[in-house]
Amino acid sequence: TLFRSEGYRALYRGMSSPLAGSAFINAVTFGAYGQAKLVVADNRPTLTLRETILCGGFAGLVSCIVVCPLELVKSRLQVQSSVSAESTSYKGPIDVVRKVFRGHGLGGFFQGIGPTICREIPGTAAWYGAFEYMKQKLSPDSPPSLPMLVLSGASAGVAYWAACYPQDVIKSIMQTQHNAQRQYRTAVDCTLSLVNEEGVKRLYKGFSAAIARGVPGAAVTFTVFTIVKDALSK
């Protein structure tokens, strides 16, 4: 296994890129969602669930501009030990950026943009939809308490991955392919090949780990965002 062969540090390979970019991604996503709410609400205090999902999908689409390049860097670092070619060995995030740009220009950072869009639109729509739905159900007539915010955020994490995990599997595979070793030409080709080889279950390999990571992450993100927003509004 990865842990046995390389130790615990291998589990954190590529972490500097998502840590550096997570704040930026959230800023773009929440900013796009907020702007979409202003347009859709048209001076109404609240949105319907359908409108919330629509705004979330828009935010997901906008976020792809930063999500795709950042996750390409992260994915390349995380799987590089399985690539034998010396030219594809990366020393860190900056080295990935340098080599991708040198080999493919700016377009190289958007390898896998199709699966990324297919993941982020339904995933982010479900993310915001689940949070707002649970928050309203748990506290319909008063501001939600801290435990209610945490629970609502956790439900958003579950909803996100339930809506888009297969797309994430395809995205990761497409982003970690190198031109000289490319096995799948398109996302559709990749999807059909995986299903033909191992069945639909292949598209959900690692789903439990994604849930275990996504639930606390979403709980913290929404809780902190709501607390800070309310504090700034006073």
Side-chain angles (χ1 to χ4, degrees):
T1 64
L2 185 64
F3 180 80
R4 289 178 180 176
S5 62
E6 301 182 48
Y8 76 92
R9 291 185 179 181
L11 302 178
Y12 295 93
R13 182 184 297 120
M15 278 299 294
S16 59
S17 177
L19 283 175
S22 61
F24 187 36
I25 291 173
N26 282 330
V28 171
T29 304
F30 278 96
Y33 177 71
Q35 290 301 309
K37 282 179 64 177
L38 289 176
V39 173
V40 174
D42 194 22
N43 295 322
R44 287 178 291 138
T46 60
L47 299 180
T48 65
L49 179 59
R50 181 178 298 180
E51 290 170 338
T52 297
I53 292 173
L54 176 65
C55 292
F58 173 77
L61 176 62
V62 174
S63 73
C64 291
I65 298 172
V66 294
V67 169
C68 191
L70 288 171
E71 293 204 349
L72 181 137
V73 174
K74 180 193 71 173
S75 297
R76 291 285 177 90
L77 286 172
Q78 288 178 332
V79 304
Q80 69 171 334
S81 61
S82 64
V83 181
S84 59
E86 185 176 339
S87 61
T88 58
S89 178
Y90 304 115
K91 299 176 182 178
I94 300 301
D95 194 38
V96 178
V97 172
R98 185 185 302 114
K99 289 181 177 178
V100 170
F101 182 77
R102 184 187 302 157
H104 310 286
L106 286 176
F109 295 102
F110 292 91
Q111 181 175 322
I113 186 63
T116 301
I117 291 173
C118 291
R119 184 192 74 174
E120 289 303 311
I121 290 178
T124 310
W127 201 54
Y128 282 107
F131 174 74
E132 295 294 344
Y133 176 81
M134 284 296 295
K135 189 174 67 170
Q136 179 63 27
K137 287 295 182 181
L138 292 172
S139 183
D141 301 316
S142 61
S145 64
L146 180 60
M148 290 177 181
L149 284 176
V150 172
L151 183 57
S152 299
S155 70
V158 174
Y160 177 88
W161 287 115
C164 68
Y165 189 76
Q167 299 96 299
D168 182 70
V169 171
I170 302 303
K171 178 198 74 69
S172 297
I173 292 174
M174 297 301 293
Q175 287 190 323
T176 53
Q177 291 189 122
H178 296 271
N179 286 342
Q181 303 166 318
R182 180 166 291 190
Q183 183 178 0
Y184 308 109
R185 302 306 304 175
T186 66
V188 174
D189 176 40
C190 179
T191 303
L192 294 177
S193 297
L194 294 180
V195 172
N196 287 335
E197 292 168 6
E198 303 181 49
V200 176
K201 64 179 182 180
R202 174 62 180 85
L203 300 179
Y204 288 90
K205 186 176 181 180
F207 180 71
S208 59
I211 291 292
R213 179 182 74 249
V215 167
V220 171
T221 297
F222 275 110
T223 300
V224 171
F225 173 79
T226 303
I227 292 173
V228 173
K229 184 186 71 172
D230 290 345
L232 293 175
S233 299
K234 293 180 180 179

